[in-house]
Amino acid sequence: MEYVKLGSSDLEVSRIAVGGMSFGKPSAEFHEWTLSAEETKEMIAFAYDLGVNFIDTANQYSGGTSEEYIGRAIKELGIPRDRVVIASKVYFNEGKLSRKAILREIEGSLQRLGTEYLDLYQIHRFDYDTPMEETLQTLHELVESGKVRYLGASAMYGYQFHNLQIIAEQNGWTKFVTMQNHYNLLYREDERELIPVCRQYGVSLIPYSPLAGGHLSHRGWSTDSIRSRTDRMSAAKYDRTKDQDIGIVERVAETAEKHGVSMAQVSLAWLYAKGVSAPIVGATKKNHFEDAAKAFALKLSEEEVRYLEELYLPHKVQGAR
């Protein structure tokens, strides 16, 4: 396994992260394909044995049971707290990023995860209803209190992230060191503004949906898996551009055949070629992690990167809205 420092922090993480959206109690309200507590434990144990030390989740994933299952797994597996980097998020809750909401939600996340601190606390979206100063000052106080080590952000517009960093800088508050944005071969809109802003501030990219909900890991568009049949969130993000994107999927398949590797490895290798630090891999099977862990060893040529990219057409903005 390879490791990388996140932004200006001293967090050294594996080049892939365990995506916590795959864990938790299945429900029609969230996802029907998530893994049980015992399955979560098995997946985390397998990933940890591969050298994966980075786990990402959120307060609202599966109604909080994702955090519960992850915390229980770490404890039962006897993984030392300082050997794993735990990240969670706040926003999709009552009050969004208000001071009251953040102070309430951090306590809930810590309790569910069974830890005294989070290594990385991320704002899940930009809050249009709360003054940025209120959010940033509250987050800074969490860092000063020791409940949070570093701050991260997730999908938003470039100007919003720029403004947040400027306000934090002007007030001497903690700035963000990571951006968990929506980024893959089928969705590249953040290349316009958000990613350049991240580069400007030395912020590490840890994108979600690196395999576009699985579309970049197999030929064709759909499979017979439970997730493929029931994942409404993925369908909303990708199905409307299926006709223009299926050609990109085929080029991933061709490149994979050329190298004798999986399509997932090619898709992740493209992200590494674009400077991504650690994609969030939402795996539901052990071989998904095993496959992903090999991706950083695949070095795509500049010509191959261009070949994978050239069919892309602008997409409707997702996530930042």
Side-chain angles (χ1 to χ4, degrees), residues 230-267:
T230 65
D231 194 337
R232 298 182 300 276
M233 188 182 302
S234 180
K237 285 191 290 189
Y238 300 113
D239 282 3
R240 73 183 70 187
T241 55
K242 171 186 174 181
D243 291 341
Q244 72 183 58
D245 289 342
I246 195 68
I248 299 173
V249 173
E250 183 57 31
R251 289 198 174 194
V252 172
E254 292 173 12
T255 305
E257 288 181 349
K258 172 184 170 183
H259 285 277
V261 299
S262 70
M263 290 176 62
Q265 288 176 46
V266 170
S267 302

Short mmCIF file of all heavy atoms in Angstrom, two decimals, residues 230-267:
data_model
loop_
_atom_site.label_atom_id
_atom_site.label_comp_id
_atom_site.label_asym_id
_atom_site.label_seq_id
_atom_site.Cartn_x
_atom_site.Cartn_y
_atom_site.Cartn_z
N THR A 230 -31.44 -0.85 -7.37
CA THR A 230 -32.18 -0.03 -6.40
C THR A 230 -31.53 1.31 -6.05
O THR A 230 -32.15 2.10 -5.33
CB THR A 230 -32.35 -0.81 -5.07
OG1 THR A 230 -31.06 -1.05 -4.48
CG2 THR A 230 -33.06 -2.13 -5.32
N ASP A 231 -30.32 1.59 -6.53
CA ASP A 231 -29.63 2.81 -6.13
C ASP A 231 -30.19 4.02 -6.89
O ASP A 231 -29.73 4.37 -7.98
CB ASP A 231 -28.12 2.68 -6.38
CG ASP A 231 -27.32 3.78 -5.68
OD1 ASP A 231 -27.90 4.84 -5.39
OD2 ASP A 231 -26.13 3.56 -5.42
N ARG A 232 -31.19 4.66 -6.30
CA ARG A 232 -31.83 5.80 -6.94
C ARG A 232 -30.89 7.00 -7.04
O ARG A 232 -30.97 7.78 -7.99
CB ARG A 232 -33.09 6.19 -6.14
CG ARG A 232 -34.15 5.10 -6.09
CD ARG A 232 -35.38 5.56 -5.32
NE ARG A 232 -35.07 5.91 -3.94
CZ ARG A 232 -35.00 5.05 -2.95
NH1 ARG A 232 -35.19 3.75 -3.18
NH2 ARG A 232 -34.73 5.45 -1.72
N MET A 233 -30.01 7.15 -6.06
CA MET A 233 -29.07 8.26 -6.07
C MET A 233 -28.12 8.17 -7.27
O MET A 233 -27.87 9.15 -7.97
CB MET A 233 -28.26 8.28 -4.76
CG MET A 233 -27.39 9.51 -4.57
SD MET A 233 -26.42 9.44 -3.04
CE MET A 233 -27.72 9.27 -1.81
N SER A 234 -27.59 6.98 -7.50
CA SER A 234 -26.70 6.77 -8.63
C SER A 234 -27.43 6.98 -9.96
O SER A 234 -26.90 7.60 -10.89
CB SER A 234 -26.10 5.36 -8.58
OG SER A 234 -25.23 5.15 -9.66
N ALA A 235 -28.66 6.48 -10.03
CA ALA A 235 -29.45 6.64 -11.26
C ALA A 235 -29.68 8.11 -11.57
O ALA A 235 -29.57 8.54 -12.73
CB ALA A 235 -30.78 5.91 -11.12
N ALA A 236 -29.96 8.91 -10.54
CA ALA A 236 -30.19 10.33 -10.74
C ALA A 236 -28.94 11.05 -11.22
O ALA A 236 -29.02 12.00 -12.00
CB ALA A 236 -30.69 10.95 -9.43
N LYS A 237 -27.79 10.58 -10.78
CA LYS A 237 -26.53 11.23 -11.16
C LYS A 237 -26.07 10.88 -12.56
O LYS A 237 -25.47 11.71 -13.25
CB LYS A 237 -25.41 10.86 -10.16
CG LYS A 237 -25.51 11.55 -8.82
CD LYS A 237 -24.26 11.35 -7.99
CE LYS A 237 -24.12 9.94 -7.50
NZ LYS A 237 -23.01 9.81 -6.51
N TYR A 238 -26.32 9.65 -13.00
CA TYR A 238 -25.68 9.18 -14.22
C TYR A 238 -26.59 8.75 -15.37
O TYR A 238 -26.17 8.83 -16.53
CB TYR A 238 -24.75 8.00 -13.88
CG TYR A 238 -23.67 8.37 -12.88
CD1 TYR A 238 -23.67 7.82 -11.60
CD2 TYR A 238 -22.68 9.28 -13.20
CE1 TYR A 238 -22.69 8.17 -10.67
CE2 TYR A 238 -21.69 9.64 -12.30
CZ TYR A 238 -21.71 9.07 -11.03
OH TYR A 238 -20.74 9.43 -10.12
N ASP A 239 -27.80 8.30 -15.09
CA ASP A 239 -28.60 7.70 -16.15
C ASP A 239 -28.98 8.68 -17.26
O ASP A 239 -29.12 8.29 -18.42
CB ASP A 239 -29.86 7.06 -15.57
CG ASP A 239 -29.58 5.71 -14.93
OD1 ASP A 239 -28.40 5.31 -14.88
OD2 ASP A 239 -30.53 5.06 -14.44
N ARG A 240 -29.14 9.94 -16.94
CA ARG A 240 -29.59 10.89 -17.96
C ARG A 240 -28.53 11.11 -19.05
O ARG A 240 -28.86 11.58 -20.15
CB ARG A 240 -29.96 12.22 -17.31
CG ARG A 240 -28.81 13.07 -16.83
CD ARG A 240 -29.29 14.33 -16.14
NE ARG A 240 -29.92 14.04 -14.87
CZ ARG A 240 -30.56 14.94 -14.12
NH1 ARG A 240 -30.66 16.17 -14.55
NH2 ARG A 240 -31.08 14.60 -12.98
N THR A 241 -27.26 10.82 -18.75
CA THR A 241 -26.20 10.99 -19.74
C THR A 241 -25.63 9.66 -20.22
O THR A 241 -24.51 9.59 -20.74
CB THR A 241 -25.06 11.86 -19.17
OG1 THR A 241 -24.59 11.28 -17.95
CG2 THR A 241 -25.54 13.28 -18.91
N LYS A 242 -26.41 8.63 -20.06
CA LYS A 242 -25.95 7.28 -20.43
C LYS A 242 -25.48 7.21 -21.88
O LYS A 242 -24.40 6.68 -22.17
CB LYS A 242 -27.08 6.27 -20.20
CG LYS A 242 -26.80 4.89 -20.75
CD LYS A 242 -28.02 3.98 -20.61
CE LYS A 242 -27.79 2.64 -21.31
NZ LYS A 242 -28.98 1.76 -21.20
N ASP A 243 -26.26 7.75 -22.80
CA ASP A 243 -25.95 7.63 -24.22
C ASP A 243 -24.63 8.29 -24.58
O ASP A 243 -23.88 7.77 -25.42
CB ASP A 243 -27.08 8.22 -25.07
CG ASP A 243 -28.35 7.39 -24.99
OD1 ASP A 243 -28.27 6.22 -24.59
OD2 ASP A 243 -29.43 7.92 -25.34
N GLN A 244 -24.31 9.42 -23.96
CA GLN A 244 -23.05 10.09 -24.28
C GLN A 244 -21.87 9.53 -23.50
O GLN A 244 -20.73 9.69 -23.91
CB GLN A 244 -23.16 11.60 -24.02
CG GLN A 244 -23.19 12.02 -22.56
CD GLN A 244 -23.37 13.52 -22.40
OE1 GLN A 244 -24.36 14.09 -22.89
NE2 GLN A 244 -22.43 14.17 -21.76
N ASP A 245 -22.15 8.84 -22.39
CA ASP A 245 -21.07 8.34 -21.53
C ASP A 245 -20.69 6.89 -21.77
O ASP A 245 -19.61 6.45 -21.37
CB ASP A 245 -21.46 8.50 -20.05
CG ASP A 245 -21.46 9.96 -19.61
OD1 ASP A 245 -20.85 10.78 -20.31
OD2 ASP A 245 -22.08 10.26 -18.57
N ILE A 246 -21.55 6.14 -22.43
CA ILE A 246 -21.27 4.71 -22.60
C ILE A 246 -20.00 4.49 -23.43
O ILE A 246 -19.29 3.50 -23.24
CB ILE A 246 -22.49 3.99 -23.26
CG1 ILE A 246 -22.36 2.48 -23.12
CG2 ILE A 246 -22.68 4.44 -24.68
CD1 ILE A 246 -22.49 1.98 -21.70
N GLY A 247 -19.69 5.43 -24.31
CA GLY A 247 -18.47 5.33 -25.09
C GLY A 247 -17.23 5.45 -24.22
O GLY A 247 -16.20 4.80 -24.49
N ILE A 248 -17.30 6.26 -23.15
CA ILE A 248 -16.18 6.40 -22.22
C ILE A 248 -15.99 5.08 -21.47
O ILE A 248 -14.86 4.62 -21.27
CB ILE A 248 -16.44 7.55 -21.24
CG1 ILE A 248 -16.58 8.87 -22.00
CG2 ILE A 248 -15.31 7.64 -20.21
CD1 ILE A 248 -17.00 10.05 -21.13
N VAL A 249 -17.10 4.48 -21.06
CA VAL A 249 -17.04 3.19 -20.37
C VAL A 249 -16.33 2.16 -21.25
O VAL A 249 -15.48 1.38 -20.79
CB VAL A 249 -18.46 2.69 -20.01
CG1 VAL A 249 -18.42 1.28 -19.44
CG2 VAL A 249 -19.11 3.65 -19.01
N GLU A 250 -16.65 2.15 -22.55
CA GLU A 250 -16.04 1.20 -23.47
C GLU A 250 -14.53 1.46 -23.60
O GLU A 250 -13.73 0.52 -23.70
CB GLU A 250 -16.71 1.29 -24.83
CG GLU A 250 -16.20 0.28 -25.85
CD GLU A 250 -16.31 -1.16 -25.40
OE1 GLU A 250 -17.25 -1.49 -24.63
OE2 GLU A 250 -15.44 -1.98 -25.80
N ARG A 251 -14.13 2.73 -23.58
CA ARG A 251 -12.70 3.04 -23.68
C ARG A 251 -11.95 2.60 -22.42
O ARG A 251 -10.78 2.20 -22.49
CB ARG A 251 -12.50 4.53 -23.93
CG ARG A 251 -12.90 4.95 -25.33
CD ARG A 251 -12.33 6.29 -25.73
NE ARG A 251 -12.62 6.56 -27.13
CZ ARG A 251 -12.04 7.52 -27.86
NH1 ARG A 251 -11.12 8.29 -27.30
NH2 ARG A 251 -12.36 7.70 -29.12
N VAL A 252 -12.62 2.67 -21.28
CA VAL A 252 -12.02 2.15 -20.05
C VAL A 252 -11.81 0.65 -20.19
O VAL A 252 -10.76 0.11 -19.82
CB VAL A 252 -12.92 2.46 -18.82
CG1 VAL A 252 -12.39 1.75 -17.58
CG2 VAL A 252 -12.97 3.97 -18.57
N ALA A 253 -12.81 -0.04 -20.75
CA ALA A 253 -12.71 -1.49 -20.95
C ALA A 253 -11.57 -1.83 -21.90
O ALA A 253 -10.79 -2.77 -21.65
CB ALA A 253 -14.03 -2.03 -21.50
N GLU A 254 -11.43 -1.07 -22.97
CA GLU A 254 -10.34 -1.31 -23.93
C GLU A 254 -8.98 -1.12 -23.28
O GLU A 254 -8.06 -1.93 -23.50
CB GLU A 254 -10.48 -0.35 -25.11
CG GLU A 254 -11.68 -0.60 -26.00
CD GLU A 254 -11.84 0.50 -27.04
OE1 GLU A 254 -10.90 1.31 -27.21
OE2 GLU A 254 -12.90 0.56 -27.67
N THR A 255 -8.85 -0.07 -22.48
CA THR A 255 -7.57 0.22 -21.82
C THR A 255 -7.26 -0.86 -20.79
O THR A 255 -6.10 -1.26 -20.63
CB THR A 255 -7.62 1.60 -21.15
OG1 THR A 255 -7.98 2.59 -22.13
CG2 THR A 255 -6.28 1.96 -20.54
N ALA A 256 -8.28 -1.34 -20.11
CA ALA A 256 -8.09 -2.41 -19.12
C ALA A 256 -7.59 -3.68 -19.81
O ALA A 256 -6.67 -4.36 -19.31
CB ALA A 256 -9.39 -2.67 -18.38
N GLU A 257 -8.19 -4.02 -20.94
CA GLU A 257 -7.75 -5.21 -21.68
C GLU A 257 -6.31 -5.06 -22.15
O GLU A 257 -5.53 -6.02 -22.11
CB GLU A 257 -8.68 -5.43 -22.88
CG GLU A 257 -10.07 -5.92 -22.49
CD GLU A 257 -10.94 -6.16 -23.71
OE1 GLU A 257 -10.55 -5.75 -24.83
OE2 GLU A 257 -12.03 -6.75 -23.54
N LYS A 258 -5.95 -3.89 -22.57
CA LYS A 258 -4.59 -3.62 -23.04
C LYS A 258 -3.56 -3.88 -21.95
O LYS A 258 -2.48 -4.44 -22.20
CB LYS A 258 -4.50 -2.17 -23.52
CG LYS A 258 -3.10 -1.68 -23.87
CD LYS A 258 -3.14 -0.22 -24.22
CE LYS A 258 -1.74 0.37 -24.34
NZ LYS A 258 -1.77 1.82 -24.61
N HIS A 259 -3.89 -3.50 -20.72
CA HIS A 259 -2.95 -3.66 -19.60
C HIS A 259 -3.14 -4.98 -18.85
O HIS A 259 -2.35 -5.30 -17.96
CB HIS A 259 -3.11 -2.50 -18.62
CG HIS A 259 -2.53 -1.21 -19.09
ND1 HIS A 259 -1.19 -0.91 -18.94
CD2 HIS A 259 -3.10 -0.14 -19.71
CE1 HIS A 259 -0.96 0.30 -19.46
NE2 HIS A 259 -2.10 0.79 -19.93
N GLY A 260 -4.21 -5.71 -19.15
CA GLY A 260 -4.49 -6.94 -18.44
C GLY A 260 -4.90 -6.70 -17.00
O GLY A 260 -4.55 -7.48 -16.11
N VAL A 261 -5.66 -5.63 -16.78
CA VAL A 261 -6.12 -5.28 -15.44
C VAL A 261 -7.63 -5.07 -15.49
O VAL A 261 -8.26 -5.16 -16.54
CB VAL A 261 -5.42 -4.00 -14.92
CG1 VAL A 261 -3.92 -4.20 -14.84
CG2 VAL A 261 -5.76 -2.79 -15.80
N SER A 262 -8.23 -4.76 -14.34
CA SER A 262 -9.68 -4.53 -14.29
C SER A 262 -10.01 -3.11 -14.72
O SER A 262 -9.16 -2.21 -14.70
CB SER A 262 -10.19 -4.76 -12.87
OG SER A 262 -9.73 -3.73 -12.01
N MET A 263 -11.26 -2.89 -15.08
CA MET A 263 -11.72 -1.55 -15.42
C MET A 263 -11.64 -0.62 -14.23
O MET A 263 -11.34 0.57 -14.37
CB MET A 263 -13.15 -1.61 -15.96
CG MET A 263 -13.26 -2.26 -17.32
SD MET A 263 -14.98 -2.43 -17.88
CE MET A 263 -15.51 -0.70 -17.97
N ALA A 264 -11.92 -1.14 -13.03
CA ALA A 264 -11.83 -0.31 -11.82
C ALA A 264 -10.41 0.22 -11.63
O ALA A 264 -10.22 1.39 -11.26
CB ALA A 264 -12.26 -1.11 -10.60
N GLN A 265 -9.42 -0.60 -11.90
CA GLN A 265 -8.04 -0.16 -11.75
C GLN A 265 -7.71 0.96 -12.73
O GLN A 265 -7.04 1.92 -12.37
CB GLN A 265 -7.09 -1.34 -11.94
CG GLN A 265 -7.10 -2.33 -10.79
CD GLN A 265 -6.21 -3.53 -11.06
OE1 GLN A 265 -5.09 -3.39 -11.52
NE2 GLN A 265 -6.72 -4.72 -10.79
N VAL A 266 -8.19 0.86 -13.95
CA VAL A 266 -7.95 1.91 -14.94
C VAL A 266 -8.64 3.21 -14.51
O VAL A 266 -8.05 4.30 -14.59
CB VAL A 266 -8.46 1.48 -16.33
CG1 VAL A 266 -8.45 2.66 -17.31
CG2 VAL A 266 -7.62 0.34 -16.87
N SER A 267 -9.88 3.10 -14.04
CA SER A 267 -10.64 4.28 -13.62
C SER A 267 -9.97 4.99 -12.45
O SER A 267 -9.91 6.23 -12.41
CB SER A 267 -12.07 3.88 -13.25
OG SER A 267 -12.72 3.25 -14.33
#
